[in-house]
Amino acid sequence: MSVNEASIQVMAIPLGEIEPNPDQPRKFFDETKLEELAAQFRSVGQLQPIVVRPAGDTFQIVMGERRWRAMHLVEGAETIEAKIVSSVDDEKAFVMGISENIGRADMTLMEEAQAYADLVGLGYVAQGIAEMFGKTKDYVVWRMDLLNLTTDIAELVAEGKIKADFAWYLSKLSPANQKVAVTRYMKGDFKTETDASTFAQALRMKENQEGFFSEKELSQKEREEKSKERKQAKSKVDQVERAGILLEELSQLTPTELAELFEGEVGKHLDAVDRVRKAAETAKKLRKAKAMSEAKQLTVRPELEVEPEVDEEEPTEAELAEAEVEADLEAAA
């Protein structure tokens, strides 16, 4: 239901007679942005009224809490222009509140995820929610997956310290592995966001044992063949490294210098460099291989594992490892 479809009355309402909606999906309001909006009010006035509904002797905000908060910062302001919508129930008010906030830069990922989940609780389905807000079904489902994050990690996501893609990959992990990946992330162990997400994917593969390293015992002949393959692969990588150094040196030359240097064979050498560029796909595979190798070396206590009874003075290795991870996470945060 839109605001225009409701019974509407516009008037100036005292700020003290308006209260925020406790079910407002957005919980975080940037103080700097509020002050900027207040400055706008001081300069040109309120350009757009907020939307409220009757709530006993007061009014409850349906849309526009940010403007209401900013007006409190304007010296001498006592009232705010508001549209009074009289035929909006709790559910419609909640949906309208979400509609106003979805897509705003200052609405956190976790607020958005919770808003979608609350709508599901009201009986909406992911496809319907997606159509309501101009999103895809996958987008809505992926956002709600973030609610699988542990509380401390969810706080880091809400604060913007962990970005959306990595957060989603974290949400697919057990709580213990979430902490492992985030501890490394906060320490700066990953060069790029892609590296962080790839590592989280590798941890997920390890949890599910999907396409991971074979654990079978190799025969003597198989070990020799594997050793030979490794030497050959290392030799190829060494050649790539030398080629990279040469290409860096060539990149320092101007087009004129290159034309003079490769007179008559520029096209031939260009084709060779293009082949190297196209082979860069190998870097993506190596990045994934690195993540898989690092994940394989980790030993993390499985979720819900029952610890054997031990004396309190002698904690188990698993308990010590978990305590260390938690301490690292708190320090990094």
Tab-separated table of all heavy atoms in Angstrom, residues 253-283:
chain	number	residue	atom	x	y	z
A	253	LEU	N	59.778	1.013	-21.630
A	253	LEU	CA	60.103	1.617	-22.915
A	253	LEU	C	58.884	2.297	-23.529
A	253	LEU	O	57.748	1.911	-23.273
A	253	LEU	CB	60.633	0.556	-23.886
A	253	LEU	CG	61.880	-0.219	-23.435
A	253	LEU	CD1	62.232	-1.294	-24.455
A	253	LEU	CD2	63.057	0.730	-23.227
A	254	THR	N	59.123	3.318	-24.345
A	254	THR	CA	58.030	4.008	-25.038
A	254	THR	C	57.654	3.219	-26.295
A	254	THR	O	58.443	2.379	-26.767
A	254	THR	CB	58.464	5.419	-25.458
A	254	THR	OG1	59.509	5.310	-26.455
A	254	THR	CG2	58.982	6.209	-24.256
A	255	PRO	N	56.442	3.449	-26.866
A	255	PRO	CA	56.069	2.777	-28.112
A	255	PRO	C	57.091	2.989	-29.223
A	255	PRO	O	57.362	2.071	-30.014
A	255	PRO	CB	54.720	3.415	-28.462
A	255	PRO	CG	54.140	3.774	-27.133
A	255	PRO	CD	55.316	4.243	-26.323
A	256	THR	N	57.685	4.195	-29.285
A	256	THR	CA	58.691	4.480	-30.318
A	256	THR	C	59.925	3.605	-30.135
A	256	THR	O	60.466	3.031	-31.089
A	256	THR	CB	59.107	5.962	-30.259
A	256	THR	OG1	57.958	6.783	-30.495
A	256	THR	CG2	60.174	6.264	-31.319
A	257	GLU	N	60.365	3.488	-28.887
A	257	GLU	CA	61.541	2.659	-28.595
A	257	GLU	C	61.262	1.192	-28.898
A	257	GLU	O	62.128	0.482	-29.423
A	257	GLU	CB	61.937	2.830	-27.125
A	257	GLU	CG	62.491	4.224	-26.818
A	257	GLU	CD	62.684	4.450	-25.326
A	257	GLU	OE1	61.918	3.858	-24.523
A	257	GLU	OE2	63.590	5.221	-24.954
A	258	LEU	N	60.036	0.725	-28.589
A	258	LEU	CA	59.683	-0.662	-28.879
A	258	LEU	C	59.629	-0.911	-30.382
A	258	LEU	O	60.045	-1.970	-30.868
A	258	LEU	CB	58.327	-1.000	-28.236
A	258	LEU	CG	58.315	-1.123	-26.714
A	258	LEU	CD1	56.885	-1.212	-26.201
A	258	LEU	CD2	59.109	-2.357	-26.268
A	259	ALA	N	59.111	0.072	-31.130
A	259	ALA	CA	59.030	-0.067	-32.589
A	259	ALA	C	60.419	-0.186	-33.203
A	259	ALA	O	60.647	-0.982	-34.117
A	259	ALA	CB	58.278	1.125	-33.179
A	260	GLU	N	61.334	0.613	-32.670
A	260	GLU	CA	62.709	0.563	-33.171
A	260	GLU	C	63.391	-0.738	-32.771
A	260	GLU	O	64.136	-1.341	-33.548
A	260	GLU	CB	63.501	1.760	-32.637
A	260	GLU	CG	63.018	3.104	-33.176
A	260	GLU	CD	63.760	4.270	-32.548
A	260	GLU	OE1	64.508	4.024	-31.572
A	260	GLU	OE2	63.584	5.413	-33.015
A	261	LEU	N	63.127	-1.194	-31.532
A	261	LEU	CA	63.776	-2.405	-31.019
A	261	LEU	C	63.305	-3.658	-31.751
A	261	LEU	O	64.108	-4.546	-32.066
A	261	LEU	CB	63.472	-2.528	-29.511
A	261	LEU	CG	64.126	-3.708	-28.773
A	261	LEU	CD1	65.654	-3.576	-28.829
A	261	LEU	CD2	63.661	-3.769	-27.340
A	262	PHE	N	61.993	-3.728	-32.050
A	262	PHE	CA	61.424	-4.924	-32.694
A	262	PHE	C	61.042	-4.663	-34.152
A	262	PHE	O	60.055	-5.219	-34.652
A	262	PHE	CB	60.180	-5.391	-31.930
A	262	PHE	CG	60.465	-5.821	-30.516
A	262	PHE	CD1	59.726	-5.310	-29.459
A	262	PHE	CD2	61.486	-6.737	-30.242
A	262	PHE	CE1	59.984	-5.714	-28.150
A	262	PHE	CE2	61.747	-7.134	-28.946
A	262	PHE	CZ	60.998	-6.621	-27.897
A	263	GLU	N	61.782	-3.827	-34.807
A	263	GLU	CA	61.472	-3.451	-36.193
A	263	GLU	C	61.197	-4.684	-37.060
A	263	GLU	O	61.993	-5.609	-37.147
A	263	GLU	CB	62.635	-2.666	-36.791
A	263	GLU	CG	62.338	-2.148	-38.186
A	263	GLU	CD	63.463	-1.280	-38.738
A	263	GLU	OE1	64.455	-1.090	-38.011
A	263	GLU	OE2	63.328	-0.817	-39.869
A	264	GLY	N	59.986	-4.698	-37.638
A	264	GLY	CA	59.610	-5.798	-38.528
A	264	GLY	C	59.029	-6.997	-37.806
A	264	GLY	O	58.478	-7.897	-38.434
A	265	GLU	N	59.115	-7.036	-36.468
A	265	GLU	CA	58.617	-8.198	-35.723
A	265	GLU	C	57.721	-7.792	-34.553
A	265	GLU	O	57.488	-8.588	-33.637
A	265	GLU	CB	59.800	-9.019	-35.178
A	265	GLU	CG	60.659	-9.638	-36.270
A	265	GLU	CD	61.747	-10.525	-35.693
A	265	GLU	OE1	62.184	-10.251	-34.555
A	265	GLU	OE2	62.133	-11.496	-36.360
A	266	VAL	N	57.207	-6.550	-34.603
A	266	VAL	CA	56.366	-6.072	-33.503
A	266	VAL	C	55.133	-6.953	-33.334
A	266	VAL	O	54.771	-7.352	-32.230
A	266	VAL	CB	55.931	-4.612	-33.739
A	266	VAL	CG1	54.954	-4.176	-32.647
A	266	VAL	CG2	57.145	-3.696	-33.760
A	267	GLY	N	54.480	-7.290	-34.462
A	267	GLY	CA	53.274	-8.118	-34.400
A	267	GLY	C	53.540	-9.474	-33.792
A	267	GLY	O	52.747	-9.971	-32.976
A	268	LYS	N	54.667	-10.071	-34.125
A	268	LYS	CA	55.033	-11.386	-33.608
A	268	LYS	C	55.192	-11.336	-32.086
A	268	LYS	O	54.667	-12.194	-31.351
A	268	LYS	CB	56.336	-11.844	-34.257
A	268	LYS	CG	56.917	-13.119	-33.662
A	268	LYS	CD	58.255	-13.440	-34.316
A	268	LYS	CE	58.907	-14.640	-33.642
A	268	LYS	NZ	60.232	-14.950	-34.242
A	269	HIS	N	55.890	-10.297	-31.619
A	269	HIS	CA	56.124	-10.187	-30.183
A	269	HIS	C	54.845	-9.787	-29.434
A	269	HIS	O	54.647	-10.174	-28.278
A	269	HIS	CB	57.242	-9.180	-29.909
A	269	HIS	CG	58.571	-9.614	-30.452
A	269	HIS	ND1	59.149	-10.818	-30.117
A	269	HIS	CD2	59.435	-9.021	-31.314
A	269	HIS	CE1	60.310	-10.944	-30.737
A	269	HIS	NE2	60.506	-9.857	-31.483
A	270	LEU	N	53.994	-9.019	-30.109
A	270	LEU	CA	52.718	-8.658	-29.498
A	270	LEU	C	51.871	-9.904	-29.266
A	270	LEU	O	51.238	-10.054	-28.219
A	270	LEU	CB	51.966	-7.673	-30.390
A	270	LEU	CG	50.553	-7.265	-29.910
A	270	LEU	CD1	50.629	-6.617	-28.532
A	270	LEU	CD2	49.913	-6.316	-30.928
A	271	ASP	N	51.873	-10.801	-30.246
A	271	ASP	CA	51.126	-12.057	-30.094
A	271	ASP	C	51.658	-12.868	-28.916
A	271	ASP	O	50.887	-13.484	-28.158
A	271	ASP	CB	51.223	-12.885	-31.380
A	271	ASP	CG	50.424	-12.274	-32.523
A	271	ASP	OD1	49.549	-11.439	-32.234
A	271	ASP	OD2	50.694	-12.636	-33.693
A	272	ALA	N	52.971	-12.861	-28.749
A	272	ALA	CA	53.577	-13.621	-27.660
A	272	ALA	C	53.150	-13.047	-26.296
A	272	ALA	O	52.819	-13.786	-25.364
A	272	ALA	CB	55.103	-13.594	-27.788
A	273	VAL	N	53.168	-11.709	-26.203
A	273	VAL	CA	52.767	-11.068	-24.951
A	273	VAL	C	51.277	-11.303	-24.682
A	273	VAL	O	50.858	-11.505	-23.542
A	273	VAL	CB	53.073	-9.560	-24.995
A	273	VAL	CG1	52.493	-8.856	-23.762
A	273	VAL	CG2	54.583	-9.330	-25.062
A	274	ASP	N	50.465	-11.309	-25.746
A	274	ASP	CA	49.031	-11.556	-25.585
A	274	ASP	C	48.769	-12.955	-25.034
A	274	ASP	O	47.854	-13.162	-24.238
A	274	ASP	CB	48.301	-11.392	-26.924
A	274	ASP	CG	47.885	-9.947	-27.174
A	274	ASP	OD1	47.844	-9.172	-26.202
A	274	ASP	OD2	47.592	-9.608	-28.326
A	275	ARG	N	49.584	-13.907	-25.467
A	275	ARG	CA	49.426	-15.269	-24.962
A	275	ARG	C	49.716	-15.327	-23.465
A	275	ARG	O	49.055	-16.040	-22.710
A	275	ARG	CB	50.337	-16.242	-25.727
A	275	ARG	CG	49.830	-16.585	-27.125
A	275	ARG	CD	50.552	-17.800	-27.683
A	275	ARG	NE	51.971	-17.544	-27.901
A	275	ARG	CZ	52.462	-17.010	-29.004
A	275	ARG	NH1	51.662	-16.668	-29.997
A	275	ARG	NH2	53.749	-16.812	-29.128
A	276	VAL	N	50.716	-14.561	-23.046
A	276	VAL	CA	51.051	-14.499	-21.620
A	276	VAL	C	49.895	-13.864	-20.848
A	276	VAL	O	49.512	-14.330	-19.770
A	276	VAL	CB	52.342	-13.686	-21.398
A	276	VAL	CG1	52.589	-13.482	-19.908
A	276	VAL	CG2	53.527	-14.403	-22.039
A	277	ARG	N	49.332	-12.805	-21.431
A	277	ARG	CA	48.229	-12.114	-20.759
A	277	ARG	C	47.023	-13.036	-20.599
A	277	ARG	O	46.393	-13.080	-19.544
A	277	ARG	CB	47.828	-10.869	-21.563
A	277	ARG	CG	46.646	-10.110	-20.967
A	277	ARG	CD	46.327	-8.881	-21.807
A	277	ARG	NE	46.049	-9.232	-23.184
A	277	ARG	CZ	44.879	-9.702	-23.620
A	277	ARG	NH1	43.882	-9.881	-22.759
A	277	ARG	NH2	44.706	-9.981	-24.896
A	278	LYS	N	46.686	-13.789	-21.652
A	278	LYS	CA	45.541	-14.702	-21.601
A	278	LYS	C	45.773	-15.839	-20.599
A	278	LYS	O	44.823	-16.382	-20.036
A	278	LYS	CB	45.269	-15.267	-22.989
A	278	LYS	CG	44.754	-14.219	-23.979
A	278	LYS	CD	44.574	-14.810	-25.366
A	278	LYS	CE	44.095	-13.754	-26.350
A	278	LYS	NZ	43.954	-14.300	-27.732
A	279	ALA	N	47.034	-16.179	-20.398
A	279	ALA	CA	47.351	-17.260	-19.452
A	279	ALA	C	47.251	-16.807	-18.004
A	279	ALA	O	47.444	-17.595	-17.089
A	279	ALA	CB	48.759	-17.786	-19.728
A	280	ALA	N	46.916	-15.528	-17.801
A	280	ALA	CA	46.806	-15.005	-16.437
A	280	ALA	C	45.685	-15.679	-15.660
A	280	ALA	O	45.608	-15.551	-14.435
A	280	ALA	CB	46.578	-13.496	-16.475
A	281	GLU	N	44.803	-16.410	-16.330
A	281	GLU	CA	43.747	-17.159	-15.663
A	281	GLU	C	44.347	-18.133	-14.643
A	281	GLU	O	43.716	-18.492	-13.645
A	281	GLU	CB	42.924	-17.920	-16.696
A	281	GLU	CG	41.740	-18.670	-16.135
A	281	GLU	CD	40.632	-17.752	-15.668
A	281	GLU	OE1	40.586	-16.599	-16.144
A	281	GLU	OE2	39.823	-18.200	-14.834
A	282	THR	N	45.597	-18.532	-14.924
A	282	THR	CA	46.285	-19.442	-14.005
A	282	THR	C	46.410	-18.830	-12.615
A	282	THR	O	46.379	-19.539	-11.601
A	282	THR	CB	47.688	-19.776	-14.549
A	282	THR	OG1	47.560	-20.328	-15.855
A	282	THR	CG2	48.397	-20.778	-13.649
A	283	ALA	N	46.541	-17.504	-12.557
A	283	ALA	CA	46.688	-16.835	-11.264
A	283	ALA	C	45.456	-17.066	-10.389
A	283	ALA	O	45.574	-17.247	-9.175
A	283	ALA	CB	46.912	-15.338	-11.475
